[in-house]
Amino acid sequence: MNNNVRKITEGAMMVAIIGVLLFLNRQFAGVLSLYFVIILPIPLIIYGIKYSVKDLLTVAFSMLFLTLILSSGLMDIAYAILSVLVAVVYVRNFKLKKSKTIILTRTIIITAIGEVVILILLSSVLGIDINADIEAITSMVESSFPQIDITTMFGGDFTQLMYILYIISTILSGALEAIIVHSIANLVLKRLGYEYIPPTKLYDIVLPKYLAYFMFISIFAYRYLSDLIEIELLRNLLSGVLAISTIVLFIFGFICILVYFMIVHKKNVTLLLVLFVIFIPTFAVPGLVIIGFLYSATNIRQKLIEGGFKNESKVW
C-alpha cells in the first residue's frame, strides 16, 4: 500500500515538474519547446526505470493531457509525443537489460526518425516553410560565389541537394539530442545506484540484411523515382529515406574500417579513425556507403572476426 502511495506521489511530482516547464514555455511563446526532446524524457526515464514501463505510460498520458491544455501550438504537442516515445524506448531497453550501446543506438534512431517526421509531415501544419529556407540558402550560396555556375556543378539539381542536406542536418540534430539525453540519464541513474549493462563490442553491432538491401536499393531508386513522382510529400519522404540510408550505410562502412584496422594492428585505433573521418573528403562517402552495404549484407564481418579478432580487445 505504501509503495503504491509513493508511486502515485512521485508520478504526480513528475507531472507537476513537467507542467511548470509547459507553463514557462507558454509564457516564452513556445521557445522552450525546441528543448523538449532533451528535457522532458529525463524525469520520465527516471520514473520508468524506478517502477515499470506501464507506470511510465500512465505518467506519460497525464503529461500529454497537460500538454494539450498548456501548449502554445502543435509544435509543443509534437515534441511532447516524441519525448514520450524516447523515454518509453529508453526505459524498455533498460528493463530488457540491453547494453549501453544498444540503448543509445535505439534512442538515436527513434529521435532522428521523429525529428524527420516532424519536419516533413508536419511542416505545413506547423508553419515551417522548408522550401523558403532552401531557396534562401541557395540564393545566399549563388550570391557568395557568382563566378561559379552552381547548377551546372551539381548536375542541375542543386535545390534538391540542399533539401537532402537539410534533412541530414535534422537527422544529426536528432542524434545529438539523443546523445545528450543518454548522457544526462547515465549520470543521474548512476547517482541513484542503477547500473547499465557494459557496452556492446564494436563488431557485434549488426545491421539486418533486409535493411541493408532496402537502404542500398533506395539510394539508387531515388535517382530514377524522384523525377517521376509529382506529389511533393512523396518526394520529401523519398529524400528522407535517401538521407537516412546514406548516413546508416556510411556509419557501418566506417565500423567495417575500424574492425579491419583493429584486426591488422591489434590495438585500439578508434580515436585515430574518428579524427580521420572528420576530415574525410566528400568523394569518399559513396565508397564508405558501398563498404557499409557489403559489411552488412555479406559475410565480410564474419570473416573479419574469424581472421584473428581477439574478443578481449577494447573498442571504447
Side-chain angles (χ1 to χ4, degrees):
M1 182 66 181
N2 291 332
N3 186 48
N4 289 332
V5 172
R6 184 181 182 86
K7 184 191 305 182
I8 294 172
T9 304
E10 291 183 354
M13 290 175 59
M14 294 296 177
V15 175
I17 293 172
I18 294 172
V20 172
L21 178 62
L22 292 170
F23 177 77
L24 292 175
N25 177 65
R26 189 179 182 89
Q27 299 303 310
F28 286 96
V31 175
L32 297 180
S33 63
L34 298 175
Y35 305 99
F36 275 5
V37 183
I38 297 175
I39 300 174
L40 293 186
I42 301 302
L44 295 177
I45 289 173
I46 296 172
Y47 184 83
I49 289 178
K50 185 173 183 179
Y51 294 105
S52 66
V53 177
K54 183 178 179 180
D55 296 322
L56 166 62
L57 290 175
T58 303
V59 174
F61 280 121
S62 302
M63 184 200 80
L64 291 177
F65 181 74
L66 194 60
T67 304
L68 292 174
I69 299 174
L70 298 176
S71 66
S72 58
L74 290 176
M75 181 72 78
D76 297 351
I77 299 174
Y79 279 123
I81 294 174
L82 179 57
S83 301
V84 170
L85 292 176
V86 170
V88 170
V89 169
Y90 198 99
V91 172
R92 177 169 174 76
N93 282 277
F94 188 92
K95 292 289 186 180
L96 292 175
K97 299 188 182 301
K98 299 295 183 180
S99 70
K100 184 184 294 187
T101 307
I102 298 298
I103 294 175
L104 176 59
T105 302
R106 292 180 177 177
T107 305
I108 289 176
I109 291 173
I110 192 66
T111 309
I113 292 176
E115 289 285 359
V116 172
V117 169
I118 291 174
L119 174 69
I120 296 177
L121 297 183
L122 302 180
S123 58
S124 58
V125 180
L126 299 176
I128 302 174
D129 193 347
I130 302 176
N131 294 326
D133 291 343
I134 293 175
E135 290 177 2
I137 295 173
T138 303
S139 300
M140 181 182 67
V141 173
E142 290 177 347
S143 61
S144 301
F145 303 97
Q147 69 278 12
I148 301 176
D149 189 350
I150 301 295
T151 303
T152 304
M153 178 180 294
F154 291 95
D157 201 7
F158 181 69
T159 302
Q160 194 62 29
L161 173 63
M162 293 305 301
Y163 187 87
I164 294 173
L165 294 176
Y166 198 97
I167 295 177
I168 290 176
S169 66
T170 303
I171 294 173
L172 295 178
S173 297
L176 180 60
E177 290 171 348
I179 293 173
I180 294 175
V181 169
H182 176 70
S183 301
I184 297 175
N186 182 34
L187 179 63
V188 175
L189 292 174
K190 280 187 176 181
R191 292 286 184 179
L192 295 176
Y194 295 96
E195 294 294 335
Y196 287 87
I197 302 299
T200 304
K201 297 295 183 181
L202 188 62
Y203 61 86
D204 285 333
I205 302 176
V206 181
L207 179 69
K209 286 187 178 181
Y210 68 90
L211 278 181
Y213 278 105
F214 171 78
M215 291 179 175
F216 194 69
I217 292 173
S218 67
I219 293 175
F220 289 94
Y222 172 80
R223 284 188 169 272
Y224 300 99
L225 296 179
S226 59
D227 295 331
L228 300 177
I229 298 176
E230 298 181 356
I231 303 175
E232 184 177 355
L233 177 60
L234 294 179
R235 285 173 58 90
N236 293 343
L237 288 175
L238 189 61
S239 299
V241 172
L242 171 66
I244 294 174
S245 301
T246 303
I247 291 176
V248 171
L249 291 180
F250 175 87
I251 290 173
F252 276 91
F254 185 54
I255 290 176
C256 179
I257 294 177
L258 283 175
V259 174
Y260 170 77
F261 272 91
M262 291 175 66
I263 292 172
V264 173
H265 298 284
K266 305 295 184 181
K267 62 181 181 179
N268 188 354
V269 294
T270 304
L271 179 60
L272 176 64
L273 288 176
V274 167
L275 294 175
F276 169 75
V277 82
I278 294 176
F279 302 101
I280 195 169
T282 306
F283 63 81
V285 173
L288 282 176
V289 168
I290 295 175
I291 293 174
F293 168 72
L294 295 176
Y295 180 75
S296 304
T298 66
N299 62 345
I300 290 179
R301 170 181 163 273
Q302 191 62 33
K303 285 187 176 181
L304 286 175
I305 296 175
E306 293 174 354
F309 190 85
K310 295 181 180 180
N311 291 332
E312 65 271 14
S313 297
K314 296 182 179 180
V315 297
W316 296 96

